[in-house]
Amino acid sequence: MEKRRVAIVGAGSSGLTSIKQCLEDNLEPVCFEASDHTGGLWRYTEVNEKNKDPHSSIYQSVVINTSKEVMAFTDFPVPYDWPSFLHNKYVVKYFDMYAEKFNLLPYIKFNSPIQRLSIRPDGRWNVCYLNKDKNEEHEEIFDYVMVCIGHHRYPRIPKYIGMDKFTNKQIHSHLYRRASDYENKRVLVVGCGNSGMDISVELSSVASQVFLCSRRGYLPWILPRRLFGRLSADQLATRFFHYFPGFLKNWLIEFIANYTVGPHPQGFKPKTPPSANHPTVKSDFLERVAIGVIIPKPDIAELKVDNSIEFVDGSVIENIDAIIYATGYDFVNIPFIDKEIISGGKEVENQFGNEEYQENLVWLYKFIFPPRITSIAFIGLVQAIGAIMPVSDLQAQYATSFWTGNLSKTPTPEEMEKDIKKTQDIIRKRYYHSARHTIQADMIPYMDELAKDMGCLPYPSKILFKFGPRLWKLVLFGVPTPIHYRLLGRQAWNDAPEAIRIYNGCKPSLSTLKKNK
């Protein structure tokens, strides 16, 4: 029998793990990558005349916010002797090792940007792409499609009065590359998520003055990467931690924030609990505010032709040399596919009153499938509080399990619609209504949802019975590594118990030491 073909769009972390999963489920993958390399977002790429709009938004200094133990693919640990938090060069090196280990490169067509994806009457897909010289279109037919471009590709620019009159530099953080370009400049950074705070701190060492604009008028909760100088903060969110009630989680996060990072500047203290927005990791930000090299400001009222800026509180700053908009990304307006496939269409969008929320609405079952077109899967189109690599890994497993009949239950389109509505109701009740919060998920609970349907959920009772109390304790109370999802199920990995032990500080066995030599 001829293998069913899968078109995979993008060779970043989501695309690589999707290729691997297709191979493991006896599907034929063909990955279309617009550039000449893998790595996607994490492969540092210069912005220049030849490449004015690269896929990557990584600037030179970026270090990942998630510890290596938590960001690992489910069956491929980040090398045990690497740093806890990886510079972007290490991240792409890890991807290269993953691609080599599982022999993924032969399945990638480089320099082959997708032009159009269109569904055929028989449910298959016409995939139109450019050849490697980018001067001729080709079209092929595929049974399935996996869109793996993530959600940091198409910048979202806010609309302010006077943007067209402001004569100095205005860019989105997607195009920011190095602080030295702003030496002795007066810079306003708009947006106080992870990118906005990271860039403002980096600029504060070279710019003459940095201002940070909080569009909501207050700052988020700020967390450190490490606690007590040695413990990775994200490793406190153990599997057992997720059994805590919401108020207790919020209290613990607030305690950690206040007593490790410090109090917020007057007038900018968060007005929502930590669980109501995506956390920001930048422990030295408040120190920079305290010494005056970063000055927080409320939202912009107007940009002036003389390069001054007025804020909603009536204050004005003058002689601004550059504005950097760290204002997030557009999730649904992907040029090569109909928006309604992702958003559910106007009828669905109109259920939500907030215009900004409507514009970025993602209406996908488990953040993967359009309910009525399950031959296409979106991998990495979810903002997990944690790392995207293992999330995409499990999403890819879920998609191919769906197509090959390996889920415990295949939902109907009506059941999918109901589940999406429930998920969106939870999101809107928990988070403030903004464009960035339409795809929020907690990493472990979300991955547990997928794992349960695939039969690989690490139930504590099953772990205790199969592996004994020592591993049970590590899974429940230890480092929340995604390798947990390779202990059980049809794709269990024999080395998973050993990898979990090492990530929890246990000495590797002799056989593991021999493998690593």
Side-chain angles (χ1 to χ4, degrees), residues 17-41:
T17 198
S18 294
I19 298 170
K20 174 179 175 290
Q21 191 55 42
C22 284
L23 294 172
E24 291 185 353
D25 273 334
N26 202 33
L27 299 168
E28 182 184 333
V30 179
C31 179
F32 298 91
E33 169 54 45
S35 71
D36 60 359
H37 55 255
T38 62
L41 167 73

PDB file of all heavy atoms in Angstrom, residues 17-41:
ATOM      1  N   THR A  17      10.392  17.996  14.494  1.00  0.00           N
ATOM      2  CA  THR A  17       9.748  16.927  15.261  1.00  0.00           C
ATOM      3  C   THR A  17       8.568  16.338  14.508  1.00  0.00           C
ATOM      4  O   THR A  17       8.239  15.167  14.687  1.00  0.00           O
ATOM      5  CB  THR A  17       9.345  17.445  16.664  1.00  0.00           C
ATOM      6  OG1 THR A  17       9.116  16.334  17.525  1.00  0.00           O
ATOM      7  CG2 THR A  17       8.113  18.327  16.623  1.00  0.00           C
ATOM      8  N   SER A  18       7.950  17.130  13.609  1.00  0.00           N
ATOM      9  CA  SER A  18       6.856  16.618  12.782  1.00  0.00           C
ATOM     10  C   SER A  18       7.378  15.632  11.737  1.00  0.00           C
ATOM     11  O   SER A  18       6.741  14.603  11.468  1.00  0.00           O
ATOM     12  CB  SER A  18       6.114  17.771  12.105  1.00  0.00           C
ATOM     13  OG  SER A  18       5.455  18.576  13.059  1.00  0.00           O
ATOM     14  N   ILE A  19       8.532  15.936  11.135  1.00  0.00           N
ATOM     15  CA  ILE A  19       9.146  14.988  10.189  1.00  0.00           C
ATOM     16  C   ILE A  19       9.400  13.663  10.896  1.00  0.00           C
ATOM     17  O   ILE A  19       9.042  12.583  10.399  1.00  0.00           O
ATOM     18  CB  ILE A  19      10.475  15.538   9.631  1.00  0.00           C
ATOM     19  CG1 ILE A  19      10.268  16.814   8.846  1.00  0.00           C
ATOM     20  CG2 ILE A  19      11.150  14.488   8.742  1.00  0.00           C
ATOM     21  CD1 ILE A  19      11.566  17.530   8.478  1.00  0.00           C
ATOM     22  N   LYS A  20      10.026  13.740  12.047  1.00  0.00           N
ATOM     23  CA  LYS A  20      10.365  12.535  12.810  1.00  0.00           C
ATOM     24  C   LYS A  20       9.117  11.713  13.131  1.00  0.00           C
ATOM     25  O   LYS A  20       9.109  10.479  12.974  1.00  0.00           O
ATOM     26  CB  LYS A  20      11.083  12.936  14.097  1.00  0.00           C
ATOM     27  CG  LYS A  20      11.356  11.786  15.060  1.00  0.00           C
ATOM     28  CD  LYS A  20      12.083  12.295  16.291  1.00  0.00           C
ATOM     29  CE  LYS A  20      12.253  11.203  17.330  1.00  0.00           C
ATOM     30  NZ  LYS A  20      10.984  10.825  17.958  1.00  0.00           N
ATOM     31  N   GLN A  21       8.057  12.400  13.535  1.00  0.00           N
ATOM     32  CA  GLN A  21       6.852  11.678  13.923  1.00  0.00           C
ATOM     33  C   GLN A  21       6.164  11.034  12.725  1.00  0.00           C
ATOM     34  O   GLN A  21       5.635   9.927  12.819  1.00  0.00           O
ATOM     35  CB  GLN A  21       5.882  12.610  14.649  1.00  0.00           C
ATOM     36  CG  GLN A  21       4.721  11.896  15.314  1.00  0.00           C
ATOM     37  CD  GLN A  21       5.178  10.811  16.276  1.00  0.00           C
ATOM     38  OE1 GLN A  21       6.125  11.002  17.031  1.00  0.00           O
ATOM     39  NE2 GLN A  21       4.511   9.666  16.247  1.00  0.00           N
ATOM     40  N   CYS A  22       6.174  11.715  11.595  1.00  0.00           N
ATOM     41  CA  CYS A  22       5.602  11.116  10.377  1.00  0.00           C
ATOM     42  C   CYS A  22       6.339   9.826  10.011  1.00  0.00           C
ATOM     43  O   CYS A  22       5.717   8.809   9.665  1.00  0.00           O
ATOM     44  CB  CYS A  22       5.677  12.104   9.221  1.00  0.00           C
ATOM     45  SG  CYS A  22       4.457  13.431   9.293  1.00  0.00           S
ATOM     46  N   LEU A  23       7.655   9.862  10.100  1.00  0.00           N
ATOM     47  CA  LEU A  23       8.441   8.671   9.790  1.00  0.00           C
ATOM     48  C   LEU A  23       8.105   7.530  10.743  1.00  0.00           C
ATOM     49  O   LEU A  23       7.987   6.368  10.329  1.00  0.00           O
ATOM     50  CB  LEU A  23       9.935   9.001   9.866  1.00  0.00           C
ATOM     51  CG  LEU A  23      10.461   9.984   8.807  1.00  0.00           C
ATOM     52  CD1 LEU A  23      11.899  10.384   9.116  1.00  0.00           C
ATOM     53  CD2 LEU A  23      10.362   9.383   7.403  1.00  0.00           C
ATOM     54  N   GLU A  24       7.926   7.853  12.012  1.00  0.00           N
ATOM     55  CA  GLU A  24       7.629   6.814  12.998  1.00  0.00           C
ATOM     56  C   GLU A  24       6.233   6.230  12.808  1.00  0.00           C
ATOM     57  O   GLU A  24       5.985   5.097  13.213  1.00  0.00           O
ATOM     58  CB  GLU A  24       7.797   7.380  14.410  1.00  0.00           C
ATOM     59  CG  GLU A  24       9.255   7.681  14.741  1.00  0.00           C
ATOM     60  CD  GLU A  24       9.480   8.131  16.166  1.00  0.00           C
ATOM     61  OE1 GLU A  24       8.488   8.356  16.894  1.00  0.00           O
ATOM     62  OE2 GLU A  24      10.665   8.263  16.560  1.00  0.00           O
ATOM     63  N   ASP A  25       5.326   7.000  12.186  1.00  0.00           N
ATOM     64  CA  ASP A  25       3.971   6.502  11.953  1.00  0.00           C
ATOM     65  C   ASP A  25       3.739   6.085  10.497  1.00  0.00           C
ATOM     66  O   ASP A  25       2.603   6.037  10.022  1.00  0.00           O
ATOM     67  CB  ASP A  25       2.937   7.551  12.384  1.00  0.00           C
ATOM     68  CG  ASP A  25       2.596   7.437  13.866  1.00  0.00           C
ATOM     69  OD1 ASP A  25       2.737   6.332  14.419  1.00  0.00           O
ATOM     70  OD2 ASP A  25       2.178   8.437  14.474  1.00  0.00           O
ATOM     71  N   ASN A  26       4.843   5.811   9.787  1.00  0.00           N
ATOM     72  CA  ASN A  26       4.786   5.259   8.435  1.00  0.00           C
ATOM     73  C   ASN A  26       4.062   6.180   7.452  1.00  0.00           C
ATOM     74  O   ASN A  26       3.355   5.735   6.557  1.00  0.00           O
ATOM     75  CB  ASN A  26       4.118   3.873   8.441  1.00  0.00           C
ATOM     76  CG  ASN A  26       4.497   3.059   7.213  1.00  0.00           C
ATOM     77  OD1 ASN A  26       5.602   3.177   6.692  1.00  0.00           O
ATOM     78  ND2 ASN A  26       3.565   2.242   6.743  1.00  0.00           N
ATOM     79  N   LEU A  27       4.243   7.493   7.652  1.00  0.00           N
ATOM     80  CA  LEU A  27       3.748   8.484   6.705  1.00  0.00           C
ATOM     81  C   LEU A  27       4.949   9.044   5.945  1.00  0.00           C
ATOM     82  O   LEU A  27       6.076   9.008   6.432  1.00  0.00           O
ATOM     83  CB  LEU A  27       3.020   9.606   7.444  1.00  0.00           C
ATOM     84  CG  LEU A  27       1.789   9.185   8.265  1.00  0.00           C
ATOM     85  CD1 LEU A  27       1.354  10.328   9.180  1.00  0.00           C
ATOM     86  CD2 LEU A  27       0.642   8.767   7.356  1.00  0.00           C
ATOM     87  N   GLU A  28       4.717   9.569   4.746  1.00  0.00           N
ATOM     88  CA  GLU A  28       5.809  10.082   3.922  1.00  0.00           C
ATOM     89  C   GLU A  28       5.879  11.606   4.029  1.00  0.00           C
ATOM     90  O   GLU A  28       5.057  12.310   3.437  1.00  0.00           O
ATOM     91  CB  GLU A  28       5.604   9.680   2.469  1.00  0.00           C
ATOM     92  CG  GLU A  28       6.732  10.125   1.547  1.00  0.00           C
ATOM     93  CD  GLU A  28       6.462   9.797   0.094  1.00  0.00           C
ATOM     94  OE1 GLU A  28       5.726   8.822  -0.182  1.00  0.00           O
ATOM     95  OE2 GLU A  28       6.991  10.529  -0.777  1.00  0.00           O
ATOM     96  N   PRO A  29       6.843  12.148   4.779  1.00  0.00           N
ATOM     97  CA  PRO A  29       6.913  13.600   4.947  1.00  0.00           C
ATOM     98  C   PRO A  29       7.757  14.278   3.869  1.00  0.00           C
ATOM     99  O   PRO A  29       8.785  13.756   3.441  1.00  0.00           O
ATOM    100  CB  PRO A  29       7.590  13.753   6.316  1.00  0.00           C
ATOM    101  CG  PRO A  29       8.509  12.567   6.399  1.00  0.00           C
ATOM    102  CD  PRO A  29       7.848  11.447   5.617  1.00  0.00           C
ATOM    103  N   VAL A  30       7.300  15.460   3.455  1.00  0.00           N
ATOM    104  CA  VAL A  30       8.106  16.352   2.626  1.00  0.00           C
ATOM    105  C   VAL A  30       8.021  17.719   3.295  1.00  0.00           C
ATOM    106  O   VAL A  30       6.940  18.292   3.394  1.00  0.00           O
ATOM    107  CB  VAL A  30       7.599  16.442   1.183  1.00  0.00           C
ATOM    108  CG1 VAL A  30       8.484  17.409   0.383  1.00  0.00           C
ATOM    109  CG2 VAL A  30       7.571  15.073   0.524  1.00  0.00           C
ATOM    110  N   CYS A  31       9.158  18.213   3.752  1.00  0.00           N
ATOM    111  CA  CYS A  31       9.189  19.482   4.482  1.00  0.00           C
ATOM    112  C   CYS A  31       9.652  20.599   3.557  1.00  0.00           C
ATOM    113  O   CYS A  31      10.695  20.491   2.910  1.00  0.00           O
ATOM    114  CB  CYS A  31      10.109  19.366   5.696  1.00  0.00           C
ATOM    115  SG  CYS A  31      10.243  20.884   6.658  1.00  0.00           S
ATOM    116  N   PHE A  32       8.879  21.673   3.509  1.00  0.00           N
ATOM    117  CA  PHE A  32       9.202  22.831   2.676  1.00  0.00           C
ATOM    118  C   PHE A  32       9.728  23.950   3.576  1.00  0.00           C
ATOM    119  O   PHE A  32       9.005  24.467   4.432  1.00  0.00           O
ATOM    120  CB  PHE A  32       7.961  23.298   1.916  1.00  0.00           C
ATOM    121  CG  PHE A  32       7.417  22.261   0.971  1.00  0.00           C
ATOM    122  CD1 PHE A  32       6.445  21.355   1.390  1.00  0.00           C
ATOM    123  CD2 PHE A  32       7.893  22.175  -0.329  1.00  0.00           C
ATOM    124  CE1 PHE A  32       5.944  20.401   0.531  1.00  0.00           C
ATOM    125  CE2 PHE A  32       7.393  21.218  -1.201  1.00  0.00           C
ATOM    126  CZ  PHE A  32       6.424  20.312  -0.772  1.00  0.00           C
ATOM    127  N   GLU A  33      10.988  24.308   3.354  1.00  0.00           N
ATOM    128  CA  GLU A  33      11.631  25.344   4.163  1.00  0.00           C
ATOM    129  C   GLU A  33      12.023  26.518   3.262  1.00  0.00           C
ATOM    130  O   GLU A  33      12.686  26.325   2.237  1.00  0.00           O
ATOM    131  CB  GLU A  33      12.868  24.775   4.860  1.00  0.00           C
ATOM    132  CG  GLU A  33      13.778  25.795   5.516  1.00  0.00           C
ATOM    133  CD  GLU A  33      13.080  26.703   6.495  1.00  0.00           C
ATOM    134  OE1 GLU A  33      12.282  26.197   7.323  1.00  0.00           O
ATOM    135  OE2 GLU A  33      13.313  27.923   6.445  1.00  0.00           O
ATOM    136  N   ALA A  34      11.572  27.719   3.633  1.00  0.00           N
ATOM    137  CA  ALA A  34      11.798  28.891   2.784  1.00  0.00           C
ATOM    138  C   ALA A  34      13.270  29.306   2.729  1.00  0.00           C
ATOM    139  O   ALA A  34      13.730  29.849   1.724  1.00  0.00           O
ATOM    140  CB  ALA A  34      10.953  30.058   3.281  1.00  0.00           C
ATOM    141  N   SER A  35      14.020  29.046   3.796  1.00  0.00           N
ATOM    142  CA  SER A  35      15.428  29.448   3.840  1.00  0.00           C
ATOM    143  C   SER A  35      16.331  28.283   3.446  1.00  0.00           C
ATOM    144  O   SER A  35      15.865  27.225   3.030  1.00  0.00           O
ATOM    145  CB  SER A  35      15.783  29.933   5.248  1.00  0.00           C
ATOM    146  OG  SER A  35      15.821  28.838   6.140  1.00  0.00           O
ATOM    147  N   ASP A  36      17.640  28.493   3.648  1.00  0.00           N
ATOM    148  CA  ASP A  36      18.602  27.440   3.313  1.00  0.00           C
ATOM    149  C   ASP A  36      19.071  26.684   4.555  1.00  0.00           C
ATOM    150  O   ASP A  36      20.097  26.013   4.527  1.00  0.00           O
ATOM    151  CB  ASP A  36      19.801  28.020   2.560  1.00  0.00           C
ATOM    152  CG  ASP A  36      20.556  29.069   3.381  1.00  0.00           C
ATOM    153  OD1 ASP A  36      20.140  29.359   4.524  1.00  0.00           O
ATOM    154  OD2 ASP A  36      21.560  29.606   2.863  1.00  0.00           O
ATOM    155  N   HIS A  37      18.326  26.796   5.663  1.00  0.00           N
ATOM    156  CA  HIS A  37      18.760  26.145   6.895  1.00  0.00           C
ATOM    157  C   HIS A  37      17.568  25.743   7.756  1.00  0.00           C
ATOM    158  O   HIS A  37      16.438  26.200   7.547  1.00  0.00           O
ATOM    159  CB  HIS A  37      19.666  27.092   7.702  1.00  0.00           C
ATOM    160  CG  HIS A  37      19.016  28.426   7.980  1.00  0.00           C
ATOM    161  ND1 HIS A  37      19.385  29.567   7.309  1.00  0.00           N
ATOM    162  CD2 HIS A  37      18.032  28.783   8.831  1.00  0.00           C
ATOM    163  CE1 HIS A  37      18.649  30.584   7.740  1.00  0.00           C
ATOM    164  NE2 HIS A  37      17.820  30.129   8.669  1.00  0.00           N
ATOM    165  N   THR A  38      17.838  24.880   8.719  1.00  0.00           N
ATOM    166  CA  THR A  38      16.831  24.524   9.723  1.00  0.00           C
ATOM    167  C   THR A  38      16.951  25.505  10.900  1.00  0.00           C
ATOM    168  O   THR A  38      17.777  26.406  10.893  1.00  0.00           O
ATOM    169  CB  THR A  38      17.065  23.095  10.239  1.00  0.00           C
ATOM    170  OG1 THR A  38      18.354  23.046  10.875  1.00  0.00           O
ATOM    171  CG2 THR A  38      17.026  22.079   9.107  1.00  0.00           C
ATOM    172  N   GLY A  39      16.138  25.297  11.913  1.00  0.00           N
ATOM    173  CA  GLY A  39      16.256  26.104  13.128  1.00  0.00           C
ATOM    174  C   GLY A  39      15.183  27.146  13.297  1.00  0.00           C
ATOM    175  O   GLY A  39      14.922  27.596  14.405  1.00  0.00           O
ATOM    176  N   GLY A  40      14.550  27.568  12.180  1.00  0.00           N
ATOM    177  CA  GLY A  40      13.438  28.499  12.260  1.00  0.00           C
ATOM    178  C   GLY A  40      13.750  29.746  13.055  1.00  0.00           C
ATOM    179  O   GLY A  40      14.753  30.430  12.827  1.00  0.00           O
ATOM    180  N   LEU A  41      12.904  30.034  14.012  1.00  0.00           N
ATOM    181  CA  LEU A  41      13.013  31.214  14.867  1.00  0.00           C
ATOM    182  C   LEU A  41      14.378  31.324  15.532  1.00  0.00           C
ATOM    183  O   LEU A  41      14.923  32.412  15.690  1.00  0.00           O
ATOM    184  CB  LEU A  41      11.912  31.140  15.936  1.00  0.00           C
ATOM    185  CG  LEU A  41      12.000  32.084  17.130  1.00  0.00           C
ATOM    186  CD1 LEU A  41      11.651  33.494  16.697  1.00  0.00           C
ATOM    187  CD2 LEU A  41      11.068  31.631  18.247  1.00  0.00           C
TER     188      LEU A  41
END
